[in-house]
Amino acid sequence: MISFTEENYLKAIYHLIEQEGEAVTTNAIAEKINTKAASVTDMLKKLSDKKLINYQKYQGVTLTPKGEKTALNIIRKQRLWEMFLVEKLDFKWDEVHDAAEQLEHIKSDKLIEQLDKFLNYPKVDPHGDPIPDAKGRLQIQKSHLLSKFKKNDVCIMTGVVDHSPAFLQYLDKSGITLGNEIKIKEIIEFDRSLQIITGRQKTIFISNDVAKNILVIAK
Amino acid sequence: MISFTEENYLKAIYHLIEQEGEAVTTNAIAEKINTKAASVTDMLKKLSDKKLINYQKYQGVTLTPKGEKTALNIIRKQRLWEMFLVEKLDFKWDEVHDAAEQLEHIKSDKLIEQLDKFLNYPKVDPHGDPIPDAKGRLQIQKSHLLSKFKKNDVCIMTGVVDHSPAFLQYLDKSGITLGNEIKIKEIIEFDRSLQIITGRQKTIFISNDVAKNILVIAK
DNA sequence: ATATTATTTTAGACTAGTCTAAAAGTTATT
DNA sequence: AATAACTTTTAGACTAGTCTAAAATAATAT
Ligand SMILES: [Mn+2]
Ligand SMILES: [Mn+2]
Ligand SMILES: [Mn+2]
Ligand SMILES: [Mn+2]
């Protein structure tokens, strides 16, 4: 049996590996999960004993196949619950985090299977992140940062990098919405800020910092 | 903050008081919650410190107003989640227990408020048990045991005493369903077993043991 | 190549929740 | 009223998860 806490560690490790592309450090996990490095070391030993991670002192951590499968199952549950909250209970995309963080730990195969069906087998969650299937298979999206595009490019918004409520609320306020078309009208050389035209035909200005947190695919 | 475990104790104490009508014993709690008496004593001290129960050594336990309110809130969540599982995810009434037992501990006021709305403010759960409102108010049903009725009485099924899957499945198989009419055709003196006519006009025989676990209101 | 700095691990302690075994208290029986 | 039987509490130990402070290791800079 895998505990609530172990699940949170596995998910954190998964995301850090995804982000960094290599073995993750004790400190990185501690920061992500809001604990101290000493606590992380203890947990790494435990996860290693359970064959969920590959761990050697001072060498950082990767997930075993079993660990990755477990992590993906938690992520599947988290994203399905987020979808439920937004689609059925009228949560905004910036409001789902805390509840989903708890709901992802509910243990019931039937529940998650039926939830998936009830939501009509969604492929992505409210933030555009892909939802792993029951076997932990993930459909990789080949989206890019909006900041990488050029003047007059037209693209479709598919996701966000930063998931913080502050950023999501800023996008709402600016009318930048998942699935919408974005056309780059102008790029200011000086600071690489952008002038874009959103779905609702409004021209808005966004900083390069913002553009680096918006995922799109070329149209 | 009230922990997962404390919540389970409060709910158990609430149900035992409801059942027995008086202060509940350490052993009764231990049995209900599947722990040892020594563990219960430890927890009783903790709950007493938090002013959730009235507890004096060897004297049994009652809930304070704060404790009762907390218990009713957990019961509200449990029953709303049961309703969700049955109404939206096609769970049978005998399948909801394990998942609801976990879901009742999810902490999010908005979630439960919206869930209530999504389910259209149900008054009773899939077992006919009343759902407390957001303020912990409970609508008391004045239903009676089917075993208390007489020959030729007609009544409506409103609930069950025993909630075990085995009993619920037996009722399903016998076509005894919440909301259905039940007419008492005959009572066998010898063992107080009943011959009844259910909604679907079928005559069936049930033991007194079964009749004592079916709640009805006179029609 | 050595010294300094940063990271990681160990040691030891704490809390929540659980257990077994023994002691204390209550209730029932003679 | 004394004894027996049962219930409840205490004492002490264990696990999971966390922490601080110190020790060990690795990385960086001189
Ligand atoms: Mn979580
Ligand atoms: Mn998401
Ligand atoms: Mn529970
Ligand atoms: Mn119920």
Side-chain angles (χ1 to χ4, degrees):
Chain A
M1 192 75 307
I2 296 177
S3 74
F4 185 105
T5 310
E6 289 168 334
E7 288 186 348
N8 281 336
Y9 273 92
L10 288 175
K11 195 177 70 159
I13 294 167
Y14 179 92
H15 285 311
L16 288 168
I17 290 175
E18 190 183 33
Q19 209 174 93
E20 309 299 335
E22 54 187 51
V24 305
T25 66
T26 302
N27 267 353
I29 297 168
E31 192 182 355
K32 180 126 197 161
I33 245 170
N34 249 297
T35 56
K36 296 296 150 79
S39 310
V40 173
T41 301
D42 284 348
M43 181 56 86
L44 294 182
K45 284 180 200 155
K46 215 175 303 174
L47 293 173
S48 184
D49 288 348
K50 292 195 180 183
K51 315 275 183 222
L52 293 160
I53 60 170
N54 305 115
Y55 169 60
Q56 311 212 89
K57 276 195 206 178
Y58 299 103
Q59 294 324 125
V61 163
T62 57
L63 292 169
T64 63
K66 187 176 159 201
E68 179 166 310
K69 202 177 154 232
T70 307
L72 282 163
N73 189 246
I74 302 155
I75 291 167
R76 167 173 165 79
K77 292 195 276 182
Q78 181 200 34
R79 291 181 179 166
L80 283 173
W81 279 115
E82 286 184 354
M83 210 55 188
F84 168 71
L85 294 174
V86 168
E87 293 287 304
K88 306 292 184 181
L89 301 194
D90 297 322
F91 275 58
K92 303 273 180 273
W93 68 342
D94 60 297
E95 295 175 322
V96 300
H97 184 272
D98 290 3
E101 194 65 40
Q102 300 172 62
L103 286 162
E104 70 191 357
H105 304 291
I106 302 291
K107 280 161 188 68
S108 165
D109 290 342
K110 170 154 187 160
L111 171 50
I112 207 67
E113 200 178 290
Q114 291 294 101
L115 184 63
D116 195 17
K117 181 179 178 187
F118 182 56
L119 296 171
N120 224 261
Y121 308 106
K123 290 273 167 296
V124 295
D125 86 354
H127 310 102
D129 296 312
I131 300 176
D133 72 15
K135 281 171 185 134
R137 280 177 306 222
L138 202 60
Q139 222 155 290
I140 306 118
Q141 286 179 272
K142 51 253 150 271
S143 50
H144 308 278
L145 299 182
L146 177 58
S147 56
K148 291 281 167 63
F149 283 68
K150 297 190 195 58
K151 180 169 173 173
N152 291 325
D153 283 349
V154 179
C155 49
I156 306 282
M157 174 166 179
T158 58
V160 292
V161 178
D162 184 345
H163 284 61
S164 70
F167 183 62
L168 299 176
Q169 283 161 24
Y170 165 77
L171 293 182
D172 279 344
K173 197 160 55 77
S174 310
I176 300 171
T177 309
L178 232 59
N180 266 193
E181 194 177 289
I182 296 175
K183 182 176 178 182
I184 300 185
K185 202 168 149 191
E186 195 66 70
I187 303 180
I188 315 302
E189 281 304 322
F190 172 64
D191 60 357
R192 310 244 356 117
S193 65
L194 307 179
Q195 204 174 337
I196 62 176
I197 303 177
T198 63
R200 52 164 95 147
Q201 303 307 323
K202 248 184 66 185
T203 297
I204 55 174
F205 298 84
I206 60 173
S207 71
N208 180 255
D209 268 3
V210 167
K212 279 195 294 198
N213 280 293
I214 295 176
L215 291 167
V216 297
I217 49 167
K219 194 184 180 183
Chain B
M1 192 78 305
I2 296 177
S3 75
F4 185 104
T5 309
E6 290 168 333
E7 288 187 346
N8 281 336
Y9 273 91
L10 288 175
K11 195 177 69 158
I13 293 167
Y14 179 92
H15 284 312
L16 288 168
I17 290 176
E18 190 183 31
Q19 209 173 93
E20 308 299 336
E22 53 188 53
V24 304
T25 67
T26 301
N27 267 353
I29 298 167
E31 191 182 355
K32 180 123 196 165
I33 245 171
N34 249 299
T35 57
K36 294 299 151 76
S39 310
V40 174
T41 301
D42 284 348
M43 181 55 87
L44 294 183
K45 284 180 199 153
K46 216 176 301 174
L47 293 174
S48 183
D49 288 348
K50 292 194 179 184
K51 314 278 183 217
L52 293 162
I53 60 171
N54 305 115
Y55 170 60
Q56 310 215 88
K57 276 196 203 175
Y58 300 102
Q59 294 323 125
V61 164
T62 56
L63 292 169
T64 63
K66 188 177 161 199
E68 180 166 309
K69 203 177 153 230
T70 307
L72 282 163
N73 189 246
I74 302 155
I75 292 168
R76 168 173 163 79
K77 292 195 276 183
Q78 181 200 34
R79 292 181 178 165
L80 283 173
W81 279 116
E82 286 184 355
M83 208 58 188
F84 168 72
L85 294 174
V86 169
E87 294 286 304
K88 305 294 182 181
L89 300 194
D90 296 321
F91 276 57
K92 303 274 180 274
W93 68 342
D94 61 295
E95 295 176 323
V96 298
H97 184 270
D98 289 4
E101 195 65 39
Q102 300 172 63
L103 287 161
E104 70 190 358
H105 304 290
I106 303 292
K107 279 160 190 68
S108 165
D109 289 342
K110 171 155 185 158
L111 171 49
I112 208 66
E113 199 179 291
Q114 291 294 101
L115 184 62
D116 194 18
K117 181 179 177 184
F118 183 57
L119 297 171
N120 224 262
Y121 308 105
K123 290 274 167 294
V124 296
D125 85 355
H127 310 102
D129 296 312
I131 300 176
D133 72 15
K135 282 170 184 136
R137 279 176 307 219
L138 201 61
Q139 221 154 290
I140 307 118
Q141 287 178 269
K142 50 248 151 278
S143 50
H144 308 278
L145 300 181
L146 178 58
S147 56
K148 292 281 167 63
F149 283 69
K150 298 189 193 59
K151 180 169 175 176
N152 292 324
D153 282 351
V154 179
C155 49
I156 306 283
M157 174 164 178
T158 58
V160 292
V161 178
D162 185 344
H163 283 62
S164 71
F167 182 61
L168 298 177
Q169 283 161 24
Y170 164 78
L171 294 183
D172 279 344
K173 197 160 55 76
S174 310
I176 300 172
T177 309
L178 232 58
N180 265 192
E181 193 176 289
I182 296 176
K183 181 176 175 181
I184 301 185
K185 202 168 149 191
E186 195 66 70
I187 302 180
I188 315 302
E189 281 305 321
F190 172 65
D191 62 355
R192 310 246 352 122
S193 66
L194 308 179
Q195 204 174 337
I196 62 176
I197 304 176
T198 62
R200 51 166 97 147
Q201 303 308 323
K202 247 185 68 185
T203 297
I204 55 173
F205 298 84
I206 60 173
S207 70
N208 180 256
D209 267 4
V210 167
K212 280 196 293 198
N213 279 293
I214 296 176
L215 292 167
V216 297
I217 49 168
K219 196 185 178 183

